[in-house]
Amino acid sequence: MARRKRWAIGLLGLLLAGLIATAGNAATGAVADTLAGIGASADDGASGERPNGKTYYIDPDGDDNADGLTPQTAWRTLSNLGNKYFSAGEGVLFKRGGYWNGTATPPFQGARQGTAANPIVFSAYGTGPRPIIDFTVVQTPAWTAVGNGVYSTPLTLPASHRLRRMYVDGGEVLDAVSMNELVSRAGYMYWHDTGNGLLYIQFDPNGKEIKYSTTRGFIYFGAGSKHVIVSDLDIRGAVYSLSFPQTENVTIKNNNLGEGGHIGISITGKNHLITNNILDSKRPVFDYADSSSTAHGPHEAIAMKGENSNATVSYNTIRNWAHSSMASGGASNTGLKFFRNHIDGSHLTYGTKFELFSGTADVEIWNNYFYKTTRQQIGGKRIHIHHNIFDSMANTPVKSYNTGQAIGITDFGEENSGSVIENNVFINSDGAAIVFSARGNYMGSHIIRNNIMYNNGKNAVTYPGDPKGIAVQIKTGSLQDSQFYNNLIYSDITDKVMMTGNERSGPTYTVAEFDSTDLPDNNDGFDNLQADPLFEDVGLLQLQLDISSPAIGAGVEPLATRDWDGYKIIAPYDIGIYNTASQPVNLLFTDGFE
């Protein structure tokens, strides 16, 4: 990875410079790959976990009348799994390159308990692409014409979920949220009336291939299950790809999840690991700007809605979920570690935000890349957010107010306090980098430092004439007892980049004015800078600092101990995601910088 380096003069460098001139020039011209090591790595075509005990094999060329206990006597379908109670060390392996399509799924509702030494395993064997288990199937129900070109058929999904994914003649179509939207607006093709258990379509089904899923999920292990591994599978369709309520020590890794589905992973409990998965809804670009709701299509990639502790979510690629990339809270939810994930909402009119709500505490969020999502919503206590890149957060035409802030700090009905937001880079968002808005509970004692906020607030939309270029907004009565210091803030459209109060009514400030103002509610700003940070090339996401950057050495010691590249942070401290003093010394060159 190319990065800003420190250089020192050395005799060895002088003697060898001629010998390595070609390599040196190549290094000098290299374009930094800022996102190397962020998100999921490519499938190697061969990996998979192996159970320690009895193993069942499934192969599209197998035989359901065989015993299923060897690759040579593999079963053909999932049907034989329906009555299996898995004990510690047992598991199921699907042949790589295989494809299964249907509605039958094992009823795994009971508790299944592996051990640390002998987990229950669902994985792959052989070589080739990850095995595909697809619950999106061709549906041929009896349709009834109800008038105005609309047809209906009975449909009730598990847990009263609304159907949110449908494919017609091989392409996904857009869902409506009401009958009025279905019949009065072009482009909306179906509506699922969950109250009356009816599915409506606004096209003639005759001669059409209509596909959707009615399956609850591939794996649904009930409360009390523990020590389970799911790896190297491609699971499509279903309300949930995977569901593990009130479980312990579940590992979900190296999977493709969510295509054609509603929720990728629903999980509660403790000591879970979710790593190196691609949670891509595969939602095409739809225009629902004229809708009354944002609730279209796939809902959440990862839902931790309930009691959780000590979960790790890392190295995942999460794309295009209509509500959240991850939603955590609703009960005691502590100790979450969320790092080196790639979050992308660029195909959706709204969504893919990261969300922490009531009950969340002691969470660390670092080294993630967020791209074109709506604002991350952060509640809870003692949340540490550092060394992340927030790039081009986006407003939605479905909402009349700003949703394009990078981070929204709010109370979610309970105290929000004690968080540290440091050494992040916020670039090119429609809204502010950070907005504070409380709902009546105490929100305060936060620290915001060492961040670079570059060209945010480009497209404020709440009211005509709203100020643009705002990097930080503290809404009236929202924030108390908090400190803003050693941040670097820049806008190429205004020098008034700070705001207190509500949209049009709030005063705006330059950074110097903000630091010198007696801010309300015991908030304080000091030692902040207003200048161009002089990135190497922000357009190419090369966020290393030029030698003359005012951010170099202008920070303070952070709580974090490693920078974006993983180097130990040492003094002098920079503002932003890199720390120049931490970069390795190169003894071979004497020109000062690469």
Side-chain angles (χ1 to χ4, degrees):
M1 178 185 300
R3 57 179 72 89
R4 174 63 59 214
K5 292 181 173 66
R6 293 188 298 147
W7 308 101
I9 296 175
L11 177 60
L12 180 63
L14 295 174
L15 294 174
L16 298 182
L19 298 177
I20 60 171
T22 301
N25 290 336
T28 302
V31 175
D33 184 4
T34 304
L35 300 184
I38 304 297
S41 59
D43 178 31
D44 65 7
S47 64
E49 294 291 318
R50 297 291 179 267
N52 293 328
K54 184 181 290 186
T55 303
Y56 298 96
Y57 295 85
I58 303 183
D59 181 336
D61 296 323
D63 182 352
D64 283 345
N65 293 316
D67 62 17
L69 294 176
T70 69
Q72 293 73 33
T73 59
W75 291 328
R76 184 175 65 85
T77 72
L78 281 64
S79 299
N80 286 336
L81 298 177
N83 296 316
K84 295 298 178 186
Y85 185 98
F86 291 92
S87 299
E90 296 185 341
V92 181
L93 300 181
F94 294 82
K95 188 174 182 178
R96 279 182 170 271
Y99 177 82
W100 292 264
N101 181 230
T103 58
T105 181
F108 292 145
Q109 280 78 9
R112 302 292 188 265
Q113 295 193 355
T115 66
N118 290 292
I120 295 169
V121 173
F122 293 83
S123 190
Y125 74 100
T127 58
R130 288 171 179 157
I132 298 171
I133 304 162
D134 187 358
F135 298 106
T136 301
V137 300
V138 175
Q139 306 284 353
T140 57
W143 295 96
T144 301
V146 297
N148 297 318
V150 175
Y151 296 77
S152 73
T153 192
L155 178 64
T156 300
L157 293 183
S160 300
H161 281 281
R162 176 170 66 86
L163 183 69
R164 298 171 69 131
R165 313 293 298 272
M166 178 186 286
Y167 299 81
V168 178
D169 291 340
E172 187 168 1
V173 295
L174 179 60
D175 51 322
V177 297
S178 66
M179 177 61 81
N180 178 66
E181 187 168 83
L182 180 68
V183 300
S184 66
R185 302 182 185 182
Y188 298 91
M189 304 303 290
Y190 68 98
W191 172 55
H192 186 197
D193 179 359
T194 57
N196 294 305
L198 291 170
L199 174 63
Y200 294 92
I201 58 175
Q202 65 136 341
F203 56 89
D204 187 342
N206 292 311
K208 300 287 189 183
E209 182 189 72
I210 301 172
K211 298 177 70 174
Y212 53 85
S213 176
T214 60
T215 300
R216 180 176 185 129
F218 170 55
I219 298 178
Y220 182 80
F221 273 15
S225 297
K226 59 180 64 176
H227 295 290
V228 180
I229 297 175
V230 182
S231 79
D232 298 280
L233 301 176
D234 185 335
I235 303 170
R236 303 178 183 182
V239 174
Y240 307 96
S241 295
L242 302 171
S243 183
F244 291 95
Q246 301 177 57
T247 53
E248 299 179 20
N249 298 99
V250 173
T251 296
I252 300 170
K253 65 179 183 178
N254 307 340
N255 301 286
N256 291 13
L257 304 172
E259 181 175 347
H262 181 194
I263 292 174
I265 301 169
S266 177
I267 192 166
T268 58
K270 60 184 179 181
N271 303 328
H272 298 315
L273 172 63
I274 301 172
T275 189
N276 203 53
N277 302 284
I278 299 174
L279 291 122
D280 189 343
S281 74
K282 297 293 182 74
R283 182 74 160 175
V285 177
F286 286 120
D287 180 5
Y288 48 92
D290 60 351
S291 178
S292 61
S293 172
T294 61
H296 296 270
H299 190 52
E300 288 169 341
I302 302 172
M304 289 186 171
K305 294 181 175 179
E307 187 168 341
N308 276 285
S309 62
N310 302 322
T312 296
V313 179
S314 61
Y315 295 95
N316 300 288
T317 297
I318 304 176
R319 296 192 183 103
N320 301 316
W321 295 82
H323 186 246
S324 300
S325 57
M326 178 166 173
S328 176
S332 175
N333 207 314
T334 62
L336 168 67
K337 296 184 182 301
F338 189 86
F339 61 94
R340 301 196 77 80
N341 299 286
H342 186 149
I343 317 299
D344 184 340
S346 59
H347 277 196
L348 298 184
T349 303
Y350 176 90
T352 321
K353 63 191 177 188
F354 180 91
E355 185 175 29
L356 301 177
F357 50 103
S358 56
T360 304
D362 301 307
V363 170
E364 188 175 9
I365 304 162
W366 77 100
N367 285 63
N368 301 287
Y369 177 63
F370 297 87
Y371 179 66
K372 285 194 174 180
T373 74
T374 47
R375 68 170 170 262
Q376 326 314 312
Q377 295 183 328
I378 306 297
K381 301 175 183 176
R382 299 178 300 279
I383 314 300
H384 186 197
I385 302 172
H386 65 93
H387 293 93
N388 301 283
I389 300 172
F390 298 91
D391 183 2
S392 303
M393 302 300 105
N395 287 325
T396 172
V398 183
K399 299 287 190 182
S400 62
Y401 52 83
N402 291 320
T403 60
Q405 301 96 342
I407 296 178
I409 309 293
T410 189
D411 59 4
F412 282 107
E414 65 179 22
E415 180 179 316
N416 178 324
S417 63
S419 295
V420 176
I421 302 173
E422 62 181 3
N423 292 95
N424 302 283
V425 170
F426 303 86
I427 54 175
N428 298 328
S429 290
D430 282 346
I434 307 175
V435 60
F436 298 86
S437 57
R439 304 176 182 179
N441 295 276
Y442 177 79
M443 189 166 77
S445 301
H446 296 313
I447 293 173
I448 299 90
R449 65 189 175 199
N450 291 357
N451 301 285
I452 295 178
M453 304 177 192
Y454 178 90
N455 279 343
N456 297 286
K458 299 187 304 177
N459 187 26
V461 298
T462 305
Y463 303 106
D466 274 354
K468 298 185 185 300
I470 299 299
V472 176
Q473 181 183 9
I474 305 171
K475 293 192 175 184
T476 302
S478 63
L479 185 67
Q480 304 175 50
D481 309 316
S482 296
Q483 294 183 322
F484 300 78
Y485 56 94
N486 295 84
N487 300 287
L488 189 151
I489 303 168
Y490 174 79
S491 170
D492 62 8
I493 59 176
T494 183
D495 60 351
K496 300 283 190 176
V497 294
M498 313 294 280
M499 184 176 188
T500 59
N502 299 325
E503 275 76 36
R504 289 176 297 178
S505 62
T508 58
Y509 311 87
T510 66
V511 168
E513 291 168 345
F514 181 84
D515 282 2
S516 63
T517 295
D518 185 12
L519 299 173
D521 300 313
N522 200 35
N523 297 307
D524 193 15
F526 55 92
D527 294 336
N528 296 292
L529 303 176
Q530 186 161 3
D532 189 331
L534 300 179
F535 294 125
E536 286 193 353
D537 191 328
V538 68
L540 294 177
L541 208 66
Q542 295 179 29
L543 304 178
Q544 299 89 344
L545 301 172
D546 184 83
I547 186 174
S548 58
S549 170
I552 293 177
V556 294
E557 183 176 6
L559 177 63
T561 59
R562 300 277 174 177
D563 74 356
W564 178 264
D565 278 345
Y567 292 114
K568 185 177 180 180
I569 297 172
I570 59 175
Y573 306 109
D574 292 355
I575 299 173
I577 60 172
Y578 297 100
N579 199 63
T580 304
S582 302
Q583 306 299 319
V585 175
N586 190 316
L587 297 177
L588 302 180
F589 295 93
T590 61
D591 61 347
F593 278 83
E594 185 178 304

